[in-house]
Amino acid sequence: MIAILCPGQGSQTPGMLEAWLEIDGTRERLDRYAAAAGVDLLGLGTTADAETIRDTAVAQPLIVAASLVSLAALTERTGPHTAWAGAAAGHSVGEYAASAVAGVLDDEDALALVATRGRAMAEAAATTPTGMSAVVGGDPDEVIQTIRAHGLVPANVNGGGQVVAAGTLADLARLKEATPAKARVIPLPVAGAFHTDHMRPAVEAVAAAAAALTPSDPALTLLTNADGGVVPSGTAALESMVAQIARPVRWDACQATLADLGVTAAVELAPGGVLAGLARRSLPGVEVVAVKSPADLDAAADLVARHRTDTSEESR
C-alpha cells in the first residue's frame, strides 16, 4: 500500500512554486486556487521573502496549494492517484490538503477553507506573543514533562524523537534555558501557538466556513491527527479538521496506523521533507520519497510503479 503524506506549516520556503511553473497547466491551476483562497499564491510562491510567507494567513493556503500542484504533476506520470494510493494523511494544515487528496473536498473548497483557517489563526495569534519550538532527542517522557512544567503544551507529538512545544514566547525561552538531557530546542518559523487553547478563537470562524461545505466520504483511507484513527465519513473529516486547530497533533499515532495498515511506501507532497524524515526514523522498511520540486517526480513515479501492484490487487 502507498500512502500520500501532506506537510504542515513551517515547510514553506521562498520561491518554492517557481520550478512548478515550468509544468504545463500549473499557472492556470494556481490562478484557480488563488481565486478560491483570495490570496496571491503565484506572487507569494515565487517572489515573496521568508518573513512574508511566515505569516500564517498566507503560509497555510500556500502550503496546501503546493501540495496539490505537486500531486497534479505526479499524476500526469502515474495516472489518477486513487488507482495507486491506499491512504492519505496530513500534518496539521496538511490535513486540508489530505482532505482534497482523499476526495472529501475538491481542491478549490479545500483552498477556500484553509484560507479562512489561516486568517482566523493569524488573528488569534496576534492577541498574545506565542510560538512553537521543536524539542529533538532526549527521553520522550522527560521531554513532555519538561514542556508541561514550563506551562507549555506538547502540541505536536511527531514520533522519531520529536515533540513540538507551544505557548508564550516567554515560556519557550525558559524551555530553551532548561533543555532536557540529550535534547535540542529549535524555534520554528510559525507565528503562533497552534494546536493549543491560544487558537480557540479561530475554531468558530473555521467551523462556520466548514458548515457551508458539502463533503464527500473519503475515497482513500484518511487518517485524523487527533489519534491517528481512520476517518469514517466526510462529515467526520470536516469536524476533525476544525477541532484540530486547538487540539494537539498526534503524528506519532498516524505513523503507527500507517504501519498497521501495511503501508510499504509513502510519497510526501510539496513542500516535502519533514514528514519523509520522520517516516524514515519511525517506519523502518517503508520506502519514502519527498517531492520537494519537479526534480523529484521521476523518483516518486518510480516508487509508485514498484509499489502499486499490491494496492491495485487489493482494490479489485
Side-chain angles (χ1 to χ4, degrees), residues 111-255:
L111 263 298
L113 186 60
V114 79
T116 298
R117 181 188 195 264
R119 290 189 295 269
M121 291 176 70
E123 291 173 4
T127 62
T128 305
T130 60
M132 305 179 82
S133 293
V135 185
V136 181
D139 177 78
D141 291 337
E142 181 185 352
V143 166
I144 289 177
Q145 288 173 6
T146 303
I147 288 170
R148 288 176 172 154
H150 285 81
L152 300 163
V153 175
N156 299 164
V157 182
N158 289 332
Q162 184 188 104
V163 179
V164 175
T168 67
L169 296 182
D171 287 339
L172 288 169
R174 283 189 282 271
L175 174 67
K176 192 169 180 62
E177 294 172 358
T179 302
K182 299 181 180 180
R184 292 178 295 136
V185 176
I186 306 168
L188 298 180
V190 298
F194 305 148
H195 306 294
T196 72
D197 280 342
H198 289 285
M199 292 294 108
R200 189 67 57 187
V203 172
E204 184 176 350
V206 181
L213 301 176
T214 304
S216 299
D217 289 341
L220 305 176
T221 298
L222 179 64
L223 307 187
T224 171
N225 283 177
D227 57 8
V230 175
V231 177
S233 67
T235 299
L238 281 184
E239 291 172 350
S240 178
M241 289 157 61
V242 171
Q244 56 108 293
I245 293 168
R247 182 184 64 198
V249 168
R250 291 297 307 273
W251 189 250
D252 61 332
C254 287
Q255 292 188 119

